[in-house]
Amino acid sequence: MFQVSVITPVAKNDVHFLEEQFEILSKQLFSNFEWIIITDGEFNDDLNYLSNKNADFFITIIQNQNEAGVAGAKNTGINAATGEYLYFLDSDDLITEYTLFCLVENLKSEIPDVVIGPQKKITKKPAFSDAYHTLLKRLINSRNNKTLEAKPKQYRNSSTNILFKKSFLEENYIIFDPTLKLYSDIPFNFQSFDRADKVLFDPDSYYLKRVRSDSIRYPSLYQSNKDELSDELPLAYKKAREKLTTDKMKLVLDKKLINAYYYKYVRDIYLKYQKNTVVMKNWVNALKLVEKEALKKSKLSARLEIKTLTMGMPKLAKLMAMTRITVSSVKTFRKKPRKFKVFVYKSLLTKLPLKKNKILYESFLGRNYSDSPKYIYKYIDENHKQDYKNVWIFSDERNDLNHLNHKVKRFGIKYFYHLATSKYIVNNMRQPVWFHKREGQVFLETWHGTPLKKLVFDMEDVHSANPNYKRDFYLQSRDWDYLVSANKYSSDIFRRAFLFDNELLEYGYPRNDILYNPDKDSISEKVKSKLGIPLNRKVVLYAPTWRDDEYYKPGQYKFKLELDLKRLKKELGNEYYFILRTHYFIADNLDIDGVEDFVYNGSHYDDIAELYLISDILITDYSSVFFDFANLKRPILFFTYDLDKYKDTLRGFYLDHETEWPGPTLLTNDQVINTLKNLEIEYAPYMKKLETFHGEYCEWDNGLASKNIAEKVIIRS
């Protein structure tokens, strides 16, 4: 007999999480447990590898015979368990190495019926560093077998990270309710809390609750059933409430129900009431059980709404609730004017007729007049000027672009008007999450690079500032009618990584048309003259990308310049001149004090394609710029000082850096300097590789992409 039985229900789509769970269970400081995995179908063969692994704990895999979902699977696990205590571990979650150890320590001084541990939400698998293990040792050494009585705020709906004494559950006939699909934990937990002689809380025994970053392909139970959450919640509360015997636990549960009504589900309740009176009836029946003591401690508005609803006046209760929400929205609009503009856009401006000859352009969130939107615009302006009204979006006032007749400030009221009424939208980035294309609008997504680093659904974990990156990307890309691709390699990745099923425009990138312009040498001379670039020195363009895990907030990333500019100037200043060009996501300003005569900071220069033209050499890291620069067949160097971290942790690459990149990977400033000093010798082994790379990844770029795309999507539509 084991002291603890760890029970994990698993659906077929979640099997891939079990490898991580096995790994962390194998590292537990406490080892007197068994792991019972309950499957919901005939895929036990997919789990045979677990049975063959060496482990200090016993693994049992059971196919659930009844079809009662998660509740039925947990009941099967309870019946199969041989442990004195039960511990429920969801298939996608993790625990720390000391979690079970700390929970079980509470059993030394007494024999409680229930021990609760805290939960912490995570969006990716944590990396346990040396500092973590040092902290772990301190924690274990400092524990005094203390037991803490659980407080009301520590009683929760989820059954995970709780030790339940099995004999206690059996004596009180406590099982999971198989009629509840989503919230069977609520009656189970609160019956246990209600009837337990003592419920302890251990603050050190952390449980890592995964918020799934890929809610499109691998949604959790709640993510895949969002529309049913507000429907089933009152049923679960009613079932739990009717089985409680103590005033203390009734009060705890009543408060939870009031908060669920007032803060989370009130919109669902009343909007669904118009279509489904059963939903309203369930909420009324549950709220009728709430006692006065709980109502007294809630907000006055909640008390009035709930009393009105339970007295049989749902229409009046709805009016009260919607009035409250409206007043709250007005306060929000005053603090956040953009939300008011979005409201006006959705409710009023989208009712206006579309202008069939109007095109709206945006490049890099309005920061530049550049990239593929610029060159599509130029083609239309030069060849069909009288036929279309071209409107450009900019994040700041742009008084230098006088040839653009219509410029609007991003998120200004004119922006929302043109967004609502333009027939065509040309963008190289994702649109705002609140935007949804109107019927009749055409969205041309040009994208902004050939991918080296893995994208969206090819990424295992999300390390960026937005944990909802995959979900948001999926929903935004559903509005794209067309997506531009530069090569077959990109097309294959876009189809898979974006889950994109609409039309791909396989003409190359319009932004690269300038690289094939017959007058490109003349253009280069003009750009050099405008920027004051010395004509007697070779120009090196350094264009690094951003790091997903180094950020201030979404869209604003940190960047530490690892190139030693002063040393580069000392060693190379007579022969070379550097242009720095950071990614548009990078918020930090680069410090070039003392090297102004050696370095030009081109981070805010609109069009990087013009910088390509004037550069003899490109240094980058993991940016897609090298795919575009390869059109010129000039040397490309990769300064990858954090290669292992970026490759193994942050993103991963589609191309092997040792065999497929068209240039050497340089890890230090010494290597950069040596390569530039001896460029002909050092780059000679890569010339053939660059030629091959050009043939494969620049195959569709020929200077005609802007014409072909504009004619297909806009002119001939």
Side-chain angles (χ1 to χ4, degrees):
M1 182 175 179
F2 297 94
Q3 192 168 13
V4 175
S5 295
V6 177
I7 299 172
T8 300
V10 58
K12 185 172 181 63
N13 285 342
D14 298 338
V15 170
H16 62 287
F17 289 117
L18 296 183
E19 181 68 34
E20 290 181 356
Q21 287 196 337
F22 175 84
E23 180 184 340
I24 197 63
L25 287 174
S26 299
K27 295 178 180 178
Q28 290 298 301
L29 299 183
F30 171 81
S31 60
N32 186 15
F33 67 91
E34 63 177 340
W35 188 21
I36 302 175
I37 301 170
I38 314 296
T39 72
D40 70 348
E42 296 181 4
F43 60 94
N44 292 53
D45 289 345
D46 296 341
L47 302 177
N48 283 340
Y49 75 95
L50 289 174
S51 301
N52 297 326
K53 284 180 173 288
N54 293 323
D56 293 332
F57 53 92
F58 192 74
I59 300 175
T60 303
I61 301 172
I62 303 173
Q63 182 179 322
N64 193 29
Q65 296 302 317
N66 66 64
E67 297 182 0
V70 174
K74 288 181 178 178
N75 287 335
T76 298
I78 292 173
N79 292 332
T82 65
E84 182 184 359
Y85 283 83
L86 308 179
Y87 182 85
F88 298 100
L89 174 65
D90 283 354
S91 59
D92 55 344
D93 296 337
L94 297 170
I95 56 178
T96 65
E97 296 173 22
Y98 55 83
T99 297
L100 292 179
F101 171 84
C102 291
L103 284 172
V104 171
E105 262 207 329
N106 292 278
L107 311 180
K108 290 182 178 179
S109 57
E110 48 191 307
I111 307 177
D113 296 319
V114 179
V115 184
I116 304 174
Q119 292 185 335
K120 179 181 179 181
K121 290 183 179 180
I122 60 170
T123 57
K124 54 185 176 290
K125 180 183 176 182
F128 296 117
S129 63
D130 291 340
Y132 161 80
H133 291 290
T134 300
L135 186 64
L136 169 62
K137 291 178 181 178
R138 289 179 184 171
L139 168 69
I140 301 306
N141 292 333
S142 65
R143 283 179 63 88
N144 297 314
N145 295 333
K146 58 185 178 183
T147 58
L148 301 173
E149 193 83 29
K151 298 178 181 178
K153 66 179 180 180
Q154 291 158 348
Y155 294 115
R156 62 167 178 268
N157 295 346
S158 171
S159 63
T160 54
N161 206 31
I162 302 177
L163 286 182
F164 296 95
K165 189 177 181 185
K166 185 179 180 183
S167 60
F168 158 75
L169 297 177
E170 292 172 338
E171 290 165 6
N172 288 278
Y173 305 102
I174 299 174
I175 61 171
F176 290 91
D177 189 331
T179 67
L180 295 173
K181 177 181 178 182
L182 304 171
Y183 288 113
S184 60
D185 282 12
I186 294 176
F188 181 89
N189 277 17
F190 280 88
Q191 284 183 76
S192 302
F193 301 151
D194 181 67
R195 298 178 191 180
D197 291 332
K198 182 170 284 190
V199 179
L200 302 182
F201 179 79
D202 188 288
D204 298 326
S205 51
Y206 273 98
Y207 183 96
L208 307 177
K209 185 72 179 173
R210 191 192 303 259
V211 179
R212 297 199 190 183
S213 62
D214 192 347
S215 61
I216 303 301
R217 292 182 305 170
Y218 305 113
S220 67
L221 182 64
Y222 296 104
Q223 288 171 334
S224 60
N225 295 276
K226 279 188 175 181
D227 292 339
E228 301 174 45
L229 294 176
S230 62
D231 299 6
E232 188 177 282
L233 188 67
L235 294 175
Y237 271 104
K238 186 172 183 292
K239 286 175 177 285
R241 185 65 167 70
E242 289 173 341
K243 294 183 178 181
L244 299 184
T245 59
T246 64
D247 292 338
K248 173 186 175 182
M249 208 51 57
K250 288 177 182 177
L251 182 61
V252 172
L253 197 61
D254 286 350
K255 287 180 179 178
K256 285 183 174 290
L257 182 60
I258 292 170
N259 288 339
Y261 163 85
Y262 189 80
Y263 292 109
K264 193 168 185 180
Y265 291 123
V266 69
R267 289 178 187 267
D268 283 354
I269 294 167
Y270 292 111
L271 292 177
K272 288 184 179 181
Y273 167 65
Q274 296 173 344
K275 303 175 184 177
N276 186 353
T277 56
V278 174
V279 175
M280 179 60 69
K281 183 179 177 181
N282 290 339
W283 275 95
V284 170
N285 290 338
L287 289 167
K288 278 183 177 179
L289 297 175
V290 173
E291 295 183 0
K292 291 181 180 180
E293 184 65 23
L295 280 172
K296 282 181 182 178
K297 297 180 181 296
S298 63
K299 287 191 174 183
L300 176 61
S301 53
R303 296 204 300 270
L304 293 175
E305 288 173 29
I306 290 171
K307 284 184 178 180
T308 304
L309 183 61
T310 55
M311 288 171 62
M313 295 181 283
K315 291 184 179 179
L316 179 57
K318 177 183 177 181
L319 177 62
M320 295 167 67
M322 294 302 132
T323 301
R324 169 172 60 84
I325 290 171
T326 301
V327 171
S328 176
S329 297
V330 170
K331 292 179 180 177
T332 300
F333 292 158
R334 291 179 64 184
K335 294 179 180 178
K336 299 180 179 180
R338 187 185 300 173
K339 286 197 172 185
F340 176 69
K341 293 175 185 177
V342 171
F343 171 77
V344 171
Y345 161 79
K346 289 182 176 181
S347 58
L348 298 176
L349 297 180
T350 53
K351 307 298 188 294
L352 298 173
L354 289 175
K355 303 292 185 181
K356 294 185 178 181
N357 69 333
K358 184 159 67 174
I359 309 169
L360 190 64
Y361 302 87
E362 183 178 335
S363 179
F364 294 121
L365 309 177
R367 295 174 186 175
N368 301 119
Y369 170 59
S370 66
D371 212 68
S372 293
K374 170 184 174 179
Y375 290 95
I376 292 172
Y377 158 76
K378 288 186 69 175
Y379 174 80
I380 292 174
D381 186 61
E382 291 168 3
N383 297 278
H384 302 275
K385 191 178 186 71
Q386 304 305 318
D387 300 331
Y388 295 94
K389 179 178 180 178
N390 298 295
V391 181
W392 269 91
I393 298 167
F394 292 106
S395 55
D396 297 307
E397 297 293 335
R398 291 299 301 266
N399 298 321
D400 57 322
L401 300 172
N402 296 324
H403 64 287
L404 301 179
N405 294 325
H406 302 284
K407 295 175 288 185
V408 296
K409 185 173 175 58
R410 195 168 191 255
F411 299 135
I413 194 63
K414 290 182 180 180
Y415 160 86
F416 288 98
Y417 167 74
H418 289 298
L419 187 64
T421 58
S422 295
K423 165 78 172 180
Y424 302 98
I425 299 172
V426 182
N427 201 335
N428 72 340
M429 294 281 290
R430 289 182 288 146
Q431 66 274 27
V433 291
W434 45 259
F435 170 85
H436 294 290
K437 183 187 66 175
R438 292 179 62 186
E439 184 176 355
Q441 281 187 318
V442 176
F443 198 107
L444 170 56
E445 174 58 52
T446 69
W447 201 236
H448 50 268
T450 297
L452 169 67
K453 47 187 180 279
K454 289 187 178 179
L455 298 174
V456 202
F457 292 102
D458 282 345
M459 296 166 61
E460 184 174 348
D461 282 326
V462 174
H463 295 266
S464 70
N466 178 16
N468 296 317
Y469 168 66
K470 290 186 179 182
R471 183 202 66 189
D472 289 350
F473 197 110
Y474 177 82
L475 296 175
Q476 289 163 312
S477 60
R478 298 315 92 182
D479 278 333
W480 301 349
D481 296 288
Y482 301 95
L483 174 60
V484 176
S485 173
N487 41 56
K488 185 180 184 303
Y489 159 85
S490 294
S491 294
D492 293 341
I493 291 173
F494 290 163
R495 287 287 186 207
R496 181 184 69 246
F498 294 173
L499 305 182
F500 185 76
D501 293 325
N502 285 343
E503 187 169 354
L504 282 170
L505 301 177
E506 298 178 318
Y507 300 115
Y509 273 142
R511 71 185 190 183
N512 290 337
D513 285 351
I514 190 175
L515 306 182
Y516 291 87
N517 192 307
D519 298 324
K520 65 181 182 181
D521 291 337
S522 175
I523 296 171
S524 178
E525 288 179 10
K526 290 178 182 178
V527 174
K528 280 188 175 183
S529 176
K530 180 172 66 173
L531 300 181
I533 305 295
L535 300 179
N536 62 341
R537 285 191 263 175
K538 294 177 185 176
V539 177
V540 179
L541 173 62
Y542 177 48
T545 192
W546 50 291
R547 274 64 177 163
D548 299 63
D549 63 337
E550 298 175 9
Y551 53 82
Y552 296 104
K553 61 181 181 179
Q556 292 192 12
Y557 285 77
K558 303 175 183 179
F559 183 75
K560 181 182 178 183
L561 186 65
E562 295 292 340
L563 272 184
D564 188 338
L565 297 178
K566 292 182 179 179
R567 186 177 169 205
L568 286 169
K569 177 185 175 181
K570 181 180 178 181
E571 300 267 2
L572 305 169
N574 293 329
E575 185 178 359
Y576 289 98
Y577 186 89
F578 270 69
I579 298 175
L580 304 184
R581 170 74 177 209
T582 56
H583 192 279
Y584 53 89
F585 273 173
I586 292 173
D588 293 324
N589 292 317
L590 301 183
D591 181 11
I592 61 170
D593 288 347
V595 290
E596 294 91 342
D597 58 343
F598 174 69
V599 176
Y600 170 74
N601 187 355
S603 297
H604 299 293
Y605 189 83
D606 267 324
D607 195 346
I608 193 173
E610 294 180 356
L611 301 182
Y612 295 154
L613 280 181
I614 67 173
S615 298
D616 300 287
I617 302 159
L618 171 70
I619 300 179
T620 186
D621 43 23
Y622 323 109
S623 171
S624 66
V625 295
F626 75 92
F627 288 95
D628 300 318
F629 193 79
N631 281 283
L632 298 170
K633 297 184 180 180
R634 298 172 186 171
I636 301 169
L637 313 179
F638 296 89
F639 181 44
T640 54
Y641 51 87
D642 56 353
L643 178 62
D644 289 340
K645 176 185 176 184
Y646 205 99
K647 173 173 60 73
D648 299 330
T649 303
L650 292 185
R651 283 284 188 114
F653 305 128
Y654 290 115
L655 301 182
D656 183 80
H657 70 282
E658 293 182 347
T659 60
E660 296 179 281
W661 292 14
T665 54
L666 311 173
L667 304 180
T668 66
N669 279 275
D670 286 341
Q671 291 177 332
V672 171
I673 292 169
N674 180 66
T675 301
L676 290 175
K677 279 185 174 181
N678 305 282
L679 187 64
E680 289 189 12
I681 297 173
E682 294 292 331
Y683 200 76
Y686 296 93
M687 290 303 297
K688 186 176 180 180
K689 186 178 290 188
L690 177 60
E691 189 70 33
T692 302
F693 187 89
H694 176 276
E696 184 170 356
Y697 299 102
C698 306
E699 55 183 329
W700 296 336
D701 283 323
N702 58 10
L704 299 175
S706 301
K707 175 182 183 296
N708 291 333
I709 291 170
E711 291 285 342
K712 177 176 178 60
V713 176
I714 298 173
I715 309 304
R716 298 199 301 265
S717 65

